[in-house]
Every structure is written in structure tokens, then in C-alpha cells.
Amino acid sequence: MGTTSQDTALRTAWRSQFTAEEVAAFPMGDEAQILMVNRPRAITWHNLKMNEVPFKAAALVRANADSISLSASKGVVLSSGQTAFDEVLAQIGAKRLESGMGPEAEAWLDRAACTTTSAVVDEGADATIDLYLDAQAQATTVAVLNVAALPEARVRVLVHVDSPAGSSTGVGVHAGGSDAGIGSDSPSAGPSVTGTGICGTAGVQVRVAAAAQARVRVEFLQTLDEGFAYLENTAAFAAREARIEMDETILGSDASWIGMAIDLAGAKATTGVDTHYLGHGMGKLDFNYLIVQRGTETEGLLSANGVLADESSKTLRGTIDLVRGCSGSVGREQETVLIASEGARNKTMPVILCHEDDVQGDHGATIGHVNPEQLEYLQARGLSVKQAEALFIGAQFDYAATHARTKAARTSIDRLALRVIDRRAGSENDKGEEN
């Protein structure tokens, strides 16, 4: 099939972003809409097709609010909407937050949200917040969570996005595993939505405001099945001596668009972003990370580690912006990618923007293939090429299972691992046991 001029325009256009009002006018559940997302702060050569990516918002109805559950410990005040969060932003002197996916995605997620909640953590409190999203087939399931930590508060947030259990898709697992159909405990995405190639859309939008000396840790876990599209958009602000940690584990879905922007505005504010991802099947992953260092003596660290197998593809843009006035700051980013099959494709764009003399900034990427000697070694011990690939895929599931915070998270990781590599995460000896 030839490439149309419209297809080319979608991949390379550098048009103005839609306003929030224009996005609000999009008809939900009527027709698909094209959004341009994950634009980096500094563009590169257009022919690399990394300056933006089109997201086709499927014409799906909004899921019921009961597909999303939210709980919080003592010391957290929950309220509907964004008013309480905006009040804290004003108190700590933050302007409108910049999000990783960009204004079009931010406006669309706000509009598509099934629930919008503000969580204000009391001054000096030590709290937890759990958000669970049960993505529904033939629907758009989106949750918006705004977290504001008052001075010296500590809060740990778990955001878990999974797909509904109870029926079978009949889709085969990774070639390294069984060819049998999926069991009755596996989620079902249902038939594809015309014109998009997906069966459901799941999304989370998280905004974080950390006041002076607050500590916020957000852990994202995505275990969606085939047939789902996933959007994750994050915007964060750190005041004086605040710390924000972001931990991401992305294991499933047919296509994932992930954007994160963190503003280290206060002196000695710090952040650490640690991402683990897995590409398998025909899955597509697209990341856009931005750490803006404005305050003096700030520290921004970005680390990504992933495995790409089968015919999967991934694009990652990582930008650290050392703004004039951030003297004494340190910014570092590093990515390690293992390409486990000949059909997998990777694009990595690490960028340091520097407008200040007295700073340290470094970036790098290590991209490697499974070499022939390693494959020969494994084949000599009775493994096929696909089974060897499954070993590397399994390592990402094992890491996720080891770091799972809840029983529900571990169960979801095991379920997806059984589907993809025909064993539970954590141990080969678990294979064949009942859930």
C-alpha cells in the first residue's frame, strides 16, 4: 500500500497545538480525533520522525466511574475536581504546570476523564494514595489525579492501570511460549474500533505539587492486554528542597504514549525518574521526558531500562534543561536498551540544554543486541531462538514482580507474563501452578 500525503503530514507536521477550548469541542464517542503529542523541547531533524507523534483518539464512549478506585491513608484530604490542587499551586508560587505529552493531550485527558480528584497531603504527614484503573473494552477509561504535598509531607502514590478480567481473547502468546488459547482468567479487549485498530483506551493524568521539603514518590504500573491504547501524562513542580521520585513499569498494551515533565523550581529541589519498559508483539512505545532545572543546586536524574522483542518499536526523548540561574545544579540521563530480536526497532534521543556555566550535565545511551555467541550458547542447551528471546522478556516481568507493592499488582504481572511467555513472573518453577 502506498503512503498518502495525509499520512506523511501526520508523521511530519509541525502545526500549532490545539487550545484547550478547541479540544473541549471535540465530540466524545462520535468520531476519531488526531492529536499531536510528545513534542520534545528542542526539535531534531524532521526526517527522523521524532519531533512529534500522532495519537488517534478513538471514537469511544466514556467508561463508568466505578471502573476507577481511589483510596488514601490518614493525612490526605480528597476532593472532586481540581480546585483544591490549584489553591496549593498558588500558595507555593507555581504557575500552570507543563506536562510531558503537551497541551493537546492534557486537555483531551481532562475532558475524557471519568474521575478528577485532588489529594492534598497535610503538612508533616506520612501518607499513601492508591489509584487503580480497570480499563474497559469498547470505552475510554481515564482518571485524573492531582496530588499536592504541603511542607515536609511525605506521600507514596501507586497508579496501577490494568484491563478487565473474566473472558478470553483467544490471542496467542509470545512465540517462546505455548500456542494455546488464553485461559478464562485472562482479560478481553473485544473487537477493534473501526479506523483505529484498538479496542479500548486507558489513560491517567497525574499532576504533582511538592511544597518546601516535601517528598513525593509516584509509582506507575501498566499491565494492559493487547488491544488497548495507553496514555500517561504527568506534570510536576518541586519547591525548595522538595524531592519528587517517579518510578515507571510499562509491560503491556498495543500502543503506549507516555509524557512526563518535572519543574525543579526551588533551590536544592531534586528528582529521580526510573523507567522499566517492555516491548513485545507489535507493540509501540513512545516516551517524552523533560526535567527543567531552575533553582540553584538542583539535581535531576533520568534512568531508563528496557527490552524490545518480536516486532515491537520504541521512541524515547529525554531532555534535561539547565536554565540560566540554576548554578550548582547537576543533570544526568542514561538509557540501556536490549534489542532481543531482529524485528525490533529503537530510537533514542537524549538531550542536554544548558544556559548556565556552573552546572554539570551528561547523557548517554547503551543500545545492544543479543549477539550470535549468546544465542549459540543457549541453542546448544536446547532453547530455540524464540525461547531465548522469552528469557530476556521474562527478566522485565521478574523485575516488576519483585518490586510489586500490592498483591493485586503481583497478580496482574503474573497474568500478563503467563500470556506473553507462558510462565509466572519471578520463577520458572511457578509454571503450571494455579493462580
Side-chain angles (χ1 to χ4, degrees):
M1 176 183 286
T3 302
T4 67
S5 58
Q6 183 180 14
D7 293 333
T8 303
L10 287 177
R11 291 198 302 270
T12 62
W14 188 259
R15 61 163 170 76
S16 299
Q17 291 271 303
F18 289 128
T19 65
E21 291 74 19
E22 289 172 328
V23 174
F26 287 171
M28 286 291 292
D30 186 6
E31 60 183 16
Q33 302 291 337
I34 301 293
L35 305 177
M36 305 307 291
V37 303
N38 281 357
R39 291 180 174 177
R41 171 152 292 197
I43 65 172
T44 184
W45 300 102
H46 288 299
N47 61 357
L48 295 177
K49 300 180 177 63
M50 296 183 70
N51 287 327
E52 60 190 354
V53 61
F55 164 66
K56 194 169 188 179
L60 295 169
V61 298
R62 186 182 285 108
N64 293 326
D66 58 11
S67 60
I68 297 165
S69 61
L70 178 66
S71 61
S73 66
K74 184 179 179 180
V76 181
V77 178
L78 300 177
S79 61
S80 180
Q82 195 173 325
T83 302
F85 178 78
D86 289 340
E87 289 174 352
V88 175
L89 279 183
Q91 291 173 15
I92 63 178
K95 298 179 181 179
R96 180 174 175 82
L97 304 184
E98 179 179 2
S99 69
M101 290 188 72
E104 288 188 15
E106 183 175 3
W108 187 85
L109 288 165
D110 276 336
R111 180 166 182 268
C114 306
T115 62
T116 299
T117 307
S118 289
V120 178
V121 186
D122 293 339
E123 184 172 348
D126 191 346
T128 59
I129 300 171
D130 289 341
L131 171 65
Y132 179 79
L133 187 148
D134 191 11
Q136 301 298 301
Q138 307 303 304
T140 295
T141 315
V142 174
V144 174
L145 176 62
N146 306 299
V147 179
L150 296 180
E152 299 183 5
R154 301 174 65 90
V155 61
R156 188 176 184 182
V157 183
L158 174 62
V159 179
H160 182 191
V161 179
D162 198 19
S163 31
S167 57
S168 172
T169 62
V171 180
V173 297
H174 180 268
S178 169
D179 291 328
I182 305 305
S184 61
D185 63 336
S186 299
S188 172
S192 173
V193 178
T194 303
T196 64
I198 66 168
C199 310
T201 300
V204 290
Q205 181 146 272
V206 177
R207 300 182 181 97
V208 174
Q213 299 181 327
R215 300 289 184 270
V216 180
R217 178 177 175 83
V218 183
E219 301 172 5
F220 295 92
L221 173 62
Q222 188 261 85
T223 52
L224 291 168
D225 276 278
E226 295 173 344
F228 282 95
Y230 175 65
L231 290 87
E232 177 191 304
N233 191 32
T234 305
F237 177 92
R240 175 180 55 84
E241 296 182 28
R243 177 164 180 79
I244 296 175
E245 297 178 359
M246 298 287 181
D247 186 280
E248 289 196 296
T249 304
I250 308 299
L251 300 175
S253 86
D254 273 354
S256 295
W257 294 266
I258 295 164
M260 182 180 295
I262 301 173
D263 185 355
L264 301 179
K268 297 184 179 180
T270 62
T271 188
V273 178
D274 189 15
T275 295
H276 289 258
Y277 61 84
L278 172 62
H280 53 87
M282 298 292 290
K284 298 182 183 301
L285 298 160
D286 196 277
F287 298 89
N288 185 48
Y289 292 118
L290 171 64
I291 298 175
V292 181
Q293 299 183 229
R294 303 182 191 276
T296 58
E297 299 181 65
T298 59
E299 182 179 81
L301 303 178
L302 169 59
S303 174
N305 185 298
V307 173
L308 300 176
D310 302 319
E311 302 293 322
S312 63
S313 63
K314 183 232 74 181
T315 297
L316 187 146
R317 312 162 195 81
T319 302
I320 292 178
D321 191 358
L322 296 161
V323 178
R324 184 175 297 280
C326 71
S327 60
S329 294
V330 178
R332 294 192 174 95
E333 59 178 303
Q334 176 65 44
E335 182 185 14
T336 302
V337 187
L338 175 63
I339 300 177
S341 70
E342 294 183 358
R345 295 291 180 266
N346 177 75
K347 292 181 182 180
T348 299
M349 189 176 84
V351 175
I352 298 284
L353 302 176
C354 187
H355 306 275
E356 179 62 55
D357 293 330
D358 182 24
V359 293
Q360 298 179 48
D362 60 75
H363 60 75
T366 302
I367 303 168
H369 291 263
V370 180
N371 64 52
E373 290 78 12
Q374 289 174 315
L375 285 178
E376 288 176 8
Y377 177 85
L378 294 171
Q379 287 177 303
R381 280 147 183 78
L383 296 180
S384 68
V385 172
K386 287 298 182 182
Q387 288 172 327
E389 290 178 12
L391 289 178
F392 299 110
I393 295 173
Q396 292 297 88
F397 282 115
D398 296 342
Y399 174 89
T402 300
H403 293 81
R405 202 177 101 190
T406 65
K407 183 178 180 181
R410 176 59 191 259
T411 299
S412 297
I413 294 165
D414 279 342
R415 173 191 52 72
L416 191 59
L418 280 167
R419 170 169 295 218
V420 176
I421 56 173
D422 198 27
R423 74 164 173 88
R424 286 187 177 136
S427 173
E428 284 281 4
N429 296 327
D430 288 341
K431 183 176 176 180
E433 295 181 3
E434 295 181 0
N435 286 327

